[in-house]
Amino acid sequence: MYVWTGDIFASSEVFLLRFSFLHQGKTIFMTIVDNRKAFHDYFIEERFEAGLILTGWEVKAIRDGRAQLKEAYVVVKGGELWLIGAHITPLMTASTHVRCDPTRTRKLLMHTKEIRRLIGSVERAGYTLIPLNLHYQRGRIKLEIGLAKGKKQHDKRQTIKEREWNREKQRILRDRGGAR
């Protein structure tokens, strides 16, 4: 798998988008927003991709980089998946006749088999559904959700220790390589 990271310019504002290219040509997508807190608070077991039902102003705001997934979560209601708590800040140039609700509940679109499988995991095994990132795929805005289990405090500490140790190893190897 090859991953390339770069900067692009969009509209009048500058913001960072990450391009991800998979080696076999299966998936090409641009990440709009990542939920970094999800990786800190949860063990991500599986990932799924879902479509979103959005209104026009939401699509424009997301394209402008005004979305946030930090406090968002996914719930199952009536055999359907709903995104709750995702904040999409409306543009200042949004229509005056449209009422913009930044944190409205948004329906997720997935195949019925996938939804049933997720419902089974969430209800029986004690998993939860967390939004991981918002990205473009073939011109459409998609949401990557993760089937996750919560981390305990000692697990979070262990993750931080491992991350710091990996950084220290890289620093040592870099310094050792430059001394030769």
Side-chain angles (χ1 to χ4, degrees):
M1 179 165 96
Y2 300 112
V3 177
W4 177 77
T5 312
D7 295 336
I8 69 163
F9 298 90
S11 68
S12 62
E13 296 180 21
V14 179
F15 59 94
L16 179 71
L17 287 178
R18 205 173 76 228
F19 292 86
S20 298
F21 298 95
L22 293 183
H23 174 61
Q24 298 167 345
K26 293 181 182 176
T27 305
I28 297 176
F29 65 86
M30 284 188 339
T31 299
I32 303 164
V33 178
D34 276 328
N35 187 359
R36 293 184 186 153
K37 189 175 171 102
F39 295 100
H40 183 263
D41 293 342
Y42 298 95
F43 291 114
I44 309 300
E45 302 288 328
E46 268 187 274
R47 295 170 183 239
F48 298 91
E49 187 175 74
L52 286 153
I53 294 181
L54 299 170
T55 59
W57 71 267
E58 291 172 329
V59 173
K60 289 179 181 179
I62 289 172
R63 287 189 187 279
D64 202 33
R66 296 174 173 260
Q68 184 177 0
L69 296 175
K70 196 176 222 176
E71 300 295 323
Y73 57 97
V74 177
V75 296
V76 180
K77 289 182 190 172
E80 297 175 336
L81 298 176
W82 298 88
L83 178 65
I84 297 175
H87 193 276
I88 300 174
T89 306
L91 296 171
M92 299 305 280
T93 58
S95 299
T96 56
H97 68 280
V98 176
R99 280 234 146 141
C100 302
D101 182 13
T103 57
R104 79 174 180 88
T105 302
R106 295 165 180 92
K107 186 176 178 181
L108 300 180
L109 305 172
M110 289 181 76
H111 291 286
T112 309
K113 288 180 184 178
E114 290 177 322
I115 293 174
R116 279 194 222 124
R117 186 166 161 234
L118 288 174
I119 290 171
S121 296
V122 168
E123 288 178 354
R124 280 186 239 122
Y127 286 95
T128 186
L129 296 171
I130 302 296
L132 301 177
N133 76 20
L134 208 55
H135 61 271
Y136 299 116
Q137 186 168 8
R138 292 188 226 122
R140 307 260 193 251
I141 297 173
K142 302 285 184 175
L143 179 72
E144 185 177 20
I145 59 176
L147 189 61
K149 263 199 191 258
K151 284 185 182 179
K152 305 280 190 233
Q153 188 64 34
H154 62 86
D155 293 330
K156 293 178 188 178
R157 288 189 199 116
Q158 184 64 31
T159 304
I160 291 169
K161 284 180 186 176
E162 288 173 8
R163 189 181 320 128
E164 288 175 357
W165 171 238
N166 287 334
R167 284 183 190 155
E168 187 63 30
K169 282 195 303 189
Q170 291 298 324
R171 199 173 297 126
I172 291 169
L173 290 173
R174 186 178 60 231
D175 292 345
R176 185 182 287 174
R180 291 182 188 176

